[in-house]
Structure formats: structure tokens, C-alpha cells
Amino acid sequence: MSYSTADSLRPVTLDDVRGAQKMLSGVARVTAMEGSRHLSQMVGAPVHLKCENLQRTGSFKLRGAYVRIAGLLPEERAAGVVAASAGNHAQGVALASALLGVRSTVFMPKGAPLPKVSATRDYGAEVRLHGQVVDETLTAAQEYAAETGAVFIHPFDHPDIIAGQGTVGLEILEQCPEARTIVVGIGGGGLAAGIAVSVKALRPDLKIIGVQAEGAAAYPPSLAAGRPVTVENPATMADGIKVGRPGDVPFGIVGDLVDEVRTVSEDELSAALLLCLERAKLVVEPAGASPVAALLSRPDSFEGPVVAVLSGGNVDPVLMQRVLRHGMAAQGRYLAVRLRLTDRPGALATLLGVLSVVDANVLDVSHVRTDPRLGLTEAEVELHLETKGPAHCAEVGQALREAGYTVMG
């Protein structure tokens, strides 16, 4: 299965996906399908999680990368391959190349998370850090390909890539033949397009819903315009779907076969990641949690059984810490309050005593005495509290007011 530049827009068929599935046998894992009782109760129908976060390299990207590189001609393999990525595609290309004995060079942004850079090197790729954003990195990789003759492996805009990702759809039909809806995150569109090709050919009645982050939602305006359009400066914590322009190849497939594209907020992404960790015991990156975010956003709008594709689990621990905190705040489980009190011995202890009575867990205390805005006998205290939800937050605020404190924020 090999395509030249001239026919890179060639349609992707079910036979292509089935060929990719044979090629990936013994290479990519058939990832687990886990039921979610909590989400099922919310949706009012069975919800299953397709765990591509447990795939080799931590995401579905290995599938497409392996199929693309395996389909190269001998002289193309000899020239090596090059890719650009902030993480998941980088690792997929690196491992696929190592398995196939092909030299790989991967360009990554200078700010790419260290665990992803280290993992890509460990899989055998030469990593070059270039640029601050993926667009700059992509340009550098394409220039390298032109200079050296290495084959550029695009993360989503090639029929082989889409065929490889489409094997996820075949697995879903085998593992959950009763499914009525598949929910999948969309960045450039390779995964959604591949799933749509394989699923709609066999189950045209099955609904496919794509999900984008609000701050990086290029598909809704592109579908409205009938052509790929660029969203300037896409911004989202979900770097796996942070793509400013749909790919030409997947765009046509998504437009024809994906039933609907929805968007989710950053708060919903945070809450979804937290839910996956707490309820499903699964480490999922924000992009991988986007289908769960869509379920949380409009749980009564899905026909079940539903399959949510958890596309990846490569989350930087520092980002994980921030996202979890954000998710807990969105659920009303963190509370930040700022107030003033009389600067006298025991005043802070008295305040903490009030919080102890209402069972609020103090995470951090900032106690300021020297700010020029304060009176001679005043001190300002900022508290970060762990609470049990919105009702508990209201209880904490009421207890502070009843104790005579003026809460400023």
C-alpha cells in the first residue's frame, strides 16, 4: 500500500483499512473496550471506552505511522523518514521506523514536554528541537525532507495514515457490535476519517460524532465553507487536537461520513480527564478525554450504546497536575478565598478553626502583613481550600460570613 505525491488524495476504502489491519497484526495492540457505569448512568445508555491510551507508544498514532512507512518503496526506506510532532505522532513514527529498520528524524518544538522527547529518543529516532510551535517545527521537517530526500510522514494528511487509523473502527465493531454511536476527538481529522471509512462501510446506520476543543475548532467553519479553512492561533490544553487547519484528505471524508462535529470547553476537558482518572482508573491526555467531555456536556443527546475513543494517554505530569486542579475547580472542589482580618496573635488560628468546623481542607495559605493597601492593624489572607462540591463551597462561605469575616474573592 503505497501512494505517490501525485495520488495522495486517492480515496481511502474499506479494503485499504482491512489491508492495514493485516499489516498491523502483531504490531499494534487490539486495545481494550471498558464499560463505564458512571457515564452509562449519565447518558441513560451503555457507554464503552475504547482505550487507545493503552496502545503501544500511548496513542493510536502507531497504527497510521506503521502502515505509511511499511508502504514505502525500498529506495524511499533507504532515504529515511522525517516527521514533526509535539509528542504522539513523534513516538509513533519513531517506534514504527525502528520496527521496520528505517532511519527516522523527528522535529519537535523546543517547549515539548521532556517525557515525550525522551520517549521519542528511546524508540530510536534522532530528535531535533526547533521552533516554539508545531507549525514552525513542521516547516523545518519539510525543509529537511527537501534537502535530504527523506520521506516526510504527515501526522494525518495521507491515505495510508487514515487507513491505519481506521483499524480502530474495525476493532470497535468487533468488540461492540451493538454500538449505535461512536464519539471521537478531531484534530487534523485522520482518526475520525479512518473510523468513518471502516464503520460506515459496514454499519451506515451507526452515528459518528467528532469532538473539537472550542479554542482549536477548525472543522465547523471549514465544513460550513465547504473547504479547509485555517483557525489562527489555536489555543487549548488538548495539544493532541490543537490543529489550526483540517487535512485535505481527511476533510473530504469527515464531511461525507461524520454525522456531526461538536466542541467542548476547557472546563469540560478538565472535568473529563478527572473523571477518567477517578472513575475509570485510566490516565488519559486532554485530547483523548475530549469524547468524554462531549458526553459530560450533553449526556442526553447520544443514542446508545455509545463508544468513546480515548485516543491517547501521553500527558506531561506537570500538565496533568494543572489540569486536575482545573478540573476539580470546575467541579467546585477547589475554593480560593481572600479576606482581611485583624493582625493580632491567634487571628489566623481562629480563622483556620472556623474552616475546620465545616471540614474544609486547607491546601495553601498566603498571609500578608506588609502591603501598603493594608491598615496598620490589618492582615490579608488568601486561602486555597479543597471542598466537596458546590454545596460545600457555599457552606464554607456562609460559615466565614457568620464568623464576621468579609470574603473578597
Side-chain angles (χ1 to χ4, degrees), residues 37-332:
R37 184 176 60 85
H38 181 72
L39 287 172
S40 298
Q41 289 175 341
M42 291 183 61
V43 173
V47 175
H48 305 278
L49 306 175
K50 177 59 172 168
C51 299
E52 281 297 290
N53 59 310
L54 303 180
Q55 184 57 260
R56 296 178 71 178
T57 75
S59 89
F60 70 96
K61 289 288 191 178
L62 171 65
R63 297 174 183 263
Y66 188 91
V67 173
R68 172 77 172 103
I69 297 170
L72 296 178
L73 300 172
E75 57 269 27
E76 292 175 319
R77 289 198 193 193
V81 299
V82 60
S85 168
N88 288 349
H89 182 58
Q91 294 173 69
V93 168
L95 179 57
S97 300
L99 293 173
L100 292 164
V102 177
R103 184 178 70 258
S104 63
T105 302
V106 176
F107 285 76
M108 303 181 75
K110 291 180 180 178
L114 183 58
K116 294 185 178 182
V117 174
S118 298
T120 303
R121 286 194 175 114
D122 288 345
Y123 286 127
E126 177 189 348
V127 174
R128 299 192 180 192
L129 301 179
H130 183 92
Q132 300 301 323
V133 296
V134 174
D135 286 345
E136 296 174 355
T137 307
L138 186 65
T139 298
Q142 290 171 325
E143 290 174 351
Y144 177 89
E147 293 168 2
T148 65
V151 178
F152 178 64
I153 307 298
H154 199 283
F156 50 81
D157 206 9
H158 195 281
D160 286 1
I161 295 288
I162 293 171
Q165 320 306 28
T167 59
V168 175
L170 294 181
E171 289 180 16
I172 289 173
L173 294 182
E174 292 167 1
Q175 294 170 312
C176 188
E178 70 277 14
R180 300 292 302 169
T181 305
I182 296 174
V183 192
V184 56
I186 297 184
L191 177 61
I195 289 175
V197 166
S198 57
V199 168
K200 289 291 189 175
L202 298 169
R203 284 279 309 280
D205 61 306
L206 199 154
K207 189 171 185 179
I208 299 176
I209 297 177
V211 184
Q212 292 208 286
E214 286 178 354
Y219 264 90
S222 297
L223 292 170
R227 58 180 175 79
V229 298
T230 301
V231 172
E232 299 295 337
N233 302 316
T236 175
M237 71 176 76
D239 58 347
I241 53 174
K242 185 179 176 181
V243 178
R245 182 186 184 279
D248 292 325
V249 182
F251 175 75
I253 298 171
V254 170
D256 289 342
L257 300 179
V258 172
D259 297 276
E260 183 183 353
V261 177
R262 301 183 183 183
T263 61
V264 293
S265 68
E266 298 298 284
D267 283 352
E268 288 162 347
L269 286 168
S270 297
L273 188 148
L274 182 61
L275 185 147
C276 288
L277 186 63
E278 286 191 327
R279 297 295 184 130
K281 315 307 177 190
L282 292 169
V283 175
V284 182
E285 62 189 272
S290 59
V292 176
L295 294 174
L296 295 178
S297 174
R298 295 168 55 190
D300 59 349
S301 64
F302 296 88
E303 181 182 0
V306 179
V307 175
V309 181
L310 306 183
S311 57
N314 291 319
V315 56
D316 178 39
V318 175
L319 175 63
M320 170 73 87
Q321 186 178 38
R322 294 206 314 267
V323 171
L324 290 179
R325 188 181 297 114
H326 187 82
M328 292 182 72
Q331 290 187 354

